Structures are given as structure tokens and as C-alpha cells.
Amino acid sequence: MPFSYDDFDLSAVRTYPLASRASKANAADFAKPFAPGSGVRGLLDALPSMLGAEDFKAVVRAMRDAKAGGRGILWGFGAHVLKTGVSPVLIDLMERGFVSALATNGAGIIHDFEIALSGSTSEDVDEALGPGRFGMADETGRLLNGAINDGVTRGLGLGQSGAEYLQNANPSHAQLSVVAAAARLKIPITVHVAIGTDIIHMHPAASGAALGEGSLRDFRFFASNVARLQRGVYLNCGSAVVLPEVFLKAVALARNQGRSLDGLTTVNLDFVRLYRPQTNVVSRPVAGVGKGYSIVGHHEIMIPLLAAALVDA
């Protein structure tokens, strides 16, 4: 049966006083004009206490509290973080005690290695792919594979192998290398690879046995680091797949062995929100025990801003 055109009768609509309603946006939480000369602390105080701004301030508090309480702060980062030029900022945080351990993927150590050797990285793939030059820088493939093969043979993980090589070689731009800084400061760094995803796998010196054994060894080191994160902080910066998956498995091992992760704060920092970081970093690991945050923004802006907020007393 078809309906007819009937006006809905609004004469009996029930209302309530505006003041009696619980509202999600309140004047007390609004932003304040920035006071010139007040520094980064003044900027934080001027931000509204809601949504992403409140999340950012909560992350700063969690990291400061972790450092003050001697708790772990574990940074996971993808290669894009290094390609945006924030290595000096991360190294400064390492020197200031805001980094307990580091984890990256295969591309991460490659770009860091190239920065250490030459002060530059990130080739033009579109230009290099056609002529067959993509990924074929001699030193990158030969020296990094050699460092991995040698280090893994001696019982090291991939991260240790790269760190030890850079420490001994002391390349001309070592001061810009997160991996070299890890060696200098004795901060553990682990590298987690998928075979065939990285340019050094295309070189004749690449050893599947060394890559696999070293990465598995690093996974166990990483799991041990994650198991120490009670009331600590884990940050996933710019890794969309590999590190979120590795982190979830490390959390599973810690829980399997009865290690408490109570009070854990997790942070995903990237310029887009993606499924795996959101579920495997922000949501699942902290369900019922901690708090997860998703901070959206460009690495070259957000990581220096986060660092400035941490160090500006």
C-alpha cells in the first residue's frame, strides 16, 4: 500500500534545558591564543584539550612519565621517517634518555646506512627503474650485506651487525645515523625484514640464511624489549605493515609468558590512518590494560614537534 503525503506533527515534541545536556565541546577546553615568547610549553598549553590536541598532550605526558619513572620507551620507525630528515632529532632524543630501544624495517637500515656513508639517500625510482639502475648502488649492497653476513655469523642480529659496522667504519656522516648513534649510546636496535622487499636483496652478496637468521634473532630481542614495557611507551612511526605485525606478535609472546603490560601507552604516528597500525598498535595490545593513540601528521613536522614538547621543560 503506498504512503500518502502527511506532515509529521511537531506540536508535542519534547525538549529539555540546554544547560542540562552533557556536551562534548566545552569552553573550558577551548584553545587559548599563543603567548609570544612562551615557547613550546606555551604552545602546548594553548592547544585545546580535545580530540587530536589532547591526544598529543597525553602522549607527551606518557613519555615524560616513562622517562621519569625509569620505564621503557621503544621507538619503531619506517624508512620514510629517515627520508624526511628527522634523524638528528631522534638522535638528540636518544642522547636525552627518551629512547630505550629502537626497531626498524629493512628499508630503514638501508636508508640510515646510505645517510651515514654519503649524507644522502632515496633515489628517484621512476628515473632509475627503466635503465635497470634502481637499487644498484655498489656500496649499499656490498657493504651492508657484508656487515650482515659477518655479524650474523658471529651471533649478532641485523641491527647489531649494522651498528657494529658503522661504529668501526666511522663513515663521514655517522653523526646523522640513528644506527651509529645506537651503537655509540649502547641502545639496542633491531631490524625486521621481509625477504625480497629491500634493494640489498637484489645484490649477489645477499644471503637468505643470514637475513632470515638475523631477523629472527632480532625478533626475539624485540620481544624481550616489548616485554619490559609495563607503564612504558611504544611508538610506531611510519611503518604500515611490518612493524605493526611484529609488535603484535611480540605482545602475544609477552602475554604468553605472563609478562605484565599494564599501563602501556601505544602511539601510531603517520600521515594517514591505516588498518594494521590502528588495530595492531593502537587498539589490540592495550585493550583492558593501557591506552592507545593515533597521531596524524607528517613526520617532518610531528616528530620535531613531539621532541620539542618532550625537551622543553
Side-chain angles (χ1 to χ4, degrees):
M1 181 181 72
F3 289 169
S4 59
Y5 289 97
D6 293 323
D7 285 342
F8 191 86
D9 183 4
L10 303 180
S11 61
V13 167
R14 295 168 293 169
T15 63
Y16 57 84
L18 175 59
S20 70
R21 187 187 68 195
S23 298
K24 293 185 289 184
N26 297 282
D29 299 324
F30 285 8
K32 305 173 184 66
F34 176 69
S38 62
V40 178
R41 178 61 63 87
L43 175 61
L44 285 183
D45 291 341
L47 293 175
S49 295
M50 57 178 68
L51 301 174
E54 180 57 29
D55 286 352
F56 182 82
K57 290 190 282 188
V59 169
V60 172
R61 289 193 298 269
M63 295 182 71
R64 282 181 172 170
D65 289 347
K67 180 178 181 291
R71 302 292 178 174
I73 303 175
L74 174 51
W75 289 73
F77 62 93
H80 193 67
V81 170
L82 303 179
K83 292 193 290 181
T84 56
V86 301
S87 297
V89 177
L90 291 176
I91 293 168
D92 182 68
L93 289 177
M94 294 164 69
E95 292 171 343
R96 293 177 183 270
F98 284 100
V99 181
S100 304
L102 296 153
T104 190
N105 53 20
I109 195 170
I110 288 168
H111 286 293
D112 185 90
F113 195 83
E114 290 190 341
I115 291 169
L117 263 59
S118 67
S120 61
T121 191
S122 191
E123 63 187 303
D124 187 335
V125 178
D126 291 336
E127 184 276 331
L129 188 61
R133 293 170 50 86
F134 170 60
M136 292 302 165
D138 173 68
E139 294 91 340
T140 307
R142 176 171 50 84
L143 297 179
L144 184 51
N145 274 314
I148 290 170
N149 296 344
D150 176 66
V152 171
T153 298
R154 293 184 290 108
L156 305 181
L158 296 190
Q160 290 173 298
S161 299
E164 183 184 84
Y165 177 88
L166 291 177
Q167 185 176 42
N168 292 335
N170 192 27
S172 57
H173 295 85
Q175 76 278 7
L176 299 176
S177 165
V178 173
V179 177
R184 171 170 57 87
L185 299 169
K186 295 181 171 52
I187 294 174
I189 181 164
T190 58
V191 179
H192 309 271
V193 304
I195 301 297
T197 59
D198 302 318
I199 60 171
I200 64 170
H201 303 165
M202 301 189 294
H203 287 252
S207 165
L211 289 165
E213 182 178 350
S215 192
L216 181 61
R217 192 171 289 152
D218 271 2
F219 170 66
R220 292 170 178 165
F221 294 150
F222 179 75
S224 180
N225 293 334
V226 169
R228 299 185 178 106
L229 287 181
Q230 184 179 21
R231 295 200 293 278
V233 180
Y234 176 72
L235 301 101
N236 179 71
C237 304
S239 178
V241 178
V242 171
L243 292 184
E245 290 292 351
V246 171
F247 178 63
L248 189 70
K249 277 66 173 186
V251 168
L253 278 175
R255 294 270 176 77
N256 180 269
Q257 295 298 301
R259 304 292 289 271
S260 174
L261 295 178
D262 290 351
L264 171 64
T265 298
T266 59
V267 184
N268 184 66
L269 197 160
D270 214 334
F271 51 83
V272 290
R273 289 190 179 184
L274 297 170
Y275 170 77
R276 281 181 177 84
Q278 190 66 29
T279 55
N280 291 1
V281 176
V282 177
S283 301
R284 288 171 175 164
V286 294
V289 300
K291 182 69 176 176
Y293 298 95
S294 180
I295 305 297
V296 178
H298 292 280
H299 304 307
E300 62 271 26
I301 298 172
M302 298 308 299
I303 291 178
L305 180 59
L306 175 59
L310 291 171
V311 305
D312 185 18

